[in-house]
Amino acid sequence: MNRSFTNKIILALLIISGAFLFYTSCSHPMNSSSYVVFGTECRITLPVSDSKKYFDILKQMEKKFSYRDENSEIAKINKNAGIAPVAVSDEVFYVISEAMRFSAETDGAFNPLLLPVIKLWGWDTGEYRVPTKEELERYLPLCDTNNIVLNENDKSVFLTKKGMGLDLGGLLKGYACDVLYEQLKKDGIKKGILNLGGNVFVFGNKEYKVAIQKPYAERGVVADNVFVKNKSVVTSGAYERGFYNNGNYYHHIIDPSTGECAKELYKSVTIVSSSSLVADVYSTAIFVKGDKLKSDFLLNYPEAEVIFN
Ligand code: AMP
Ligand code: MG
């Protein structure tokens, strides 16, 4: 990785601060440690002395799911776009199937096949640029969710057109939170706080206060507090990651119907849900679609909450 790219990643990490929720509560001593995984700071706070096992789970997940890691299963699927189906592990098949199910459920507002357009904007390298209308029109068909074939029998995934690509960045941290929580329960750990770059999951028999970052304000400025128990709190916002070009601000959440940055209907969308995967998907999707999707979401997921800032 060249130095300027590394610097840009570090800068991006600082900018992502918007997604960082913070929390209080808990009277028993807890140990907290953090690592950079999924390109962001992941902090695990548990009543155990060593969280290495849980960071290892996250790192293994990153190796499997990151399109940036050329040995990942996702990178293999992308390399074989337009060439051949790729047999993948049960876990990768499951997550991609879920991503496609959510894509249908959100009427396309959540789309895990946006990589060709994400690359046009330079989000993959940090060398940002504003694509032309013609470029977006040319590349958008490659993001069409009809062009992926999932074969349940041999657990293979086929992107039928050359140039297509999967990017699970819109749900991976949520999925990872849920996986960690299941493992922690199996290990008999009764309370904890997981914060994967702003995807927060709190569990235990106490209620936690989770503070939501005020969009575009300095890191740590609170817009809202929520009181939750055994729930995930996930926020998506344009302010989390973006760049300026000719005085205009461009951000990382794409409207799949145009390939442009999603219109900022709200500065941020926070979802509270017992599933971090659901919270992650819908914070992104409701950011794109706004109120209309919010009503459908709450009908389908009555346990969840939506907070706009
Ligand atoms: P989040 O931070 O969870 O809102 O997800 C944003 C990330 O998901 C972006 O950095 C992209 O990698 C990817 N992404 C952007 N727009 C979308 C979208 N409409 N649907 C799914 N993933 C997206
Ligand atoms: Mg998301």
Side-chain angles (χ1 to χ4, degrees), residues 109-112 114 118 167 169-170 236 240-241 252-254 256 280 284 288:
F110 185 87
N111 183 341
L114 291 175
I118 285 170
D167 162 31
S236 287
E240 293 169 332
R241 227 175 126 198
H252 69 132
I253 303 175
I254 309 273
D280 198 1
T284 309
V288 173

Side-chain angles (χ1 to χ4, degrees), residues 110 169-174 199 234-236 277 279-285:
F110 185 87
L171 59 63
L172 199 51
K173 287 178 280 164
N199 266 69
V234 179
T235 300
S236 287
L277 175 63
D280 198 1
V281 165
Y282 273 91
S283 63
T284 309

Side-chain angles (χ1 to χ4, degrees), residues 30-93:
M30 304 272 264
N31 287 309
S32 191
S33 42
S34 72
Y35 250 106
V36 172
V37 197
F38 308 125
T40 188
E41 185 192 359
C42 295
R43 179 166 290 279
I44 297 181
T45 306
L46 297 172
V48 295
S49 54
D50 187 4
S51 295
K52 181 177 179 304
K53 172 179 177 181
Y54 305 107
F55 283 112
D56 285 347
I57 292 175
L58 294 181
K59 282 189 246 166
Q60 274 167 15
M61 233 180 256
E62 184 179 34
K63 266 186 170 306
K64 261 190 194 179
F65 286 102
S66 170
Y67 73 81
R68 289 187 170 87
D69 182 334
E70 62 172 34
N71 296 315
S72 76
E73 294 186 48
I74 300 299
K76 278 183 198 143
I77 295 168
N78 292 351
K79 254 183 265 170
N80 280 286
I83 301 171
V86 176
V88 293
S89 61
D90 288 357
E91 187 185 17
V92 169
F93 192 84

Side-chain angles (χ1 to χ4, degrees), residues 21-32 43-48 181 184 189-195 200-212 224-233 272 305 307:
L21 310 166
F22 53 99
Y23 31 76
T24 57
S25 181
C26 207
S27 53
H28 298 291
M30 304 272 264
N31 287 309
S32 191
R43 179 166 290 279
I44 297 181
T45 306
L46 297 172
V48 295
Y181 178 46
L184 287 158
I189 296 178
K190 300 253 180 317
K191 63 177 180 180
I193 302 165
L194 310 174
N195 183 352
V200 173
F201 200 110
V202 295
F203 64 101
N205 50 25
K206 273 190 175 179
E207 201 169 61
Y208 286 80
K209 178 166 95 179
V210 179
I212 300 167
D224 228 331
N225 288 308
V226 286
F227 295 86
V228 291
K229 198 169 144 186
N230 299 323
K231 294 262 183 180
S232 182
V233 182
V272 180
E305 222 184 301
I307 299 157

